[in-house]
Amino acid sequence: QVQLVESGGGLVQAGGSLRLCCAASGRTFSSYGLGWFRQAPGKERDFIIGINWSGGSTYYADSVKGRFTISRDNAKNTVYLQMNSLKPEDTAVYYCAAAPFGGWSRKYEYKYWGQGTQVTVSS
């Protein structure tokens, strides 16, 4: 099992950047796929980015492709989300999640969740 804690959220103007971090506990961190989800008020939680255990494969939703980048550092048990060119529609609570058993590219594969961090983009 793995426990996840996000940090780095906040308020930023449109066009700005933020970097979210997700620190994980557990000795088997490197075996998990990792992803970022977001949930805006009144909407479903969307799967926006995933990365496999090695970092060699990634998935990006169309809404963030070209603006957001996921990376992971298995030595530090941390996954990062670099968000550039932020838009007001990116405003949401962002969740880090982990997928066991080789999963990483599909929403239903994610079993463990952080508590979420708020990102607000002002126009």
Side-chain angles (χ1 to χ4, degrees):
Q1 194 166 353
V2 62
Q3 295 179 330
L4 305 166
V5 179
E6 302 97 336
S7 61
L11 174 64
V12 65
Q13 289 188 330
S17 298
L18 279 176
R19 189 175 80 154
L20 305 184
C21 299
C22 176
S25 63
R27 291 179 291 178
T28 59
F29 172 83
S30 61
S31 69
Y32 288 87
L34 299 168
W36 289 92
F37 292 68
R38 67 184 182 186
Q39 187 168 20
K43 295 188 177 181
E44 292 187 355
R45 189 173 298 187
D46 290 332
F47 177 40
I48 58 171
I49 294 179
I51 189 168
N52 77 332
W53 68 274
S54 69
S57 297
T58 54
Y59 160 80
Y60 290 89
D62 288 343
S63 57
V64 303
K65 199 174 294 182
R67 301 187 298 123
F68 291 11
T69 304
I70 189 172
S71 60
R72 65 187 295 166
D73 186 337
N74 287 340
K76 296 182 178 180
N77 280 16
T78 303
V79 61
Y80 305 96
L81 177 59
Q82 178 66 44
M83 304 186 294
N84 298 327
S85 302
L86 282 161
K87 305 174 182 180
E89 51 264 44
D90 294 318
T91 295
V93 177
Y94 283 71
Y95 297 90
C96 173
F101 311 123
W104 65 275
S105 62
R106 300 190 185 277
K107 181 177 182 178
Y108 68 83
E109 293 174 324
Y110 288 85
K111 306 299 183 185
Y112 306 104
W113 299 86
Q115 82 288 351
T117 186
Q118 177 70 47
V119 171
T120 302
V121 184
S122 62
S123 57

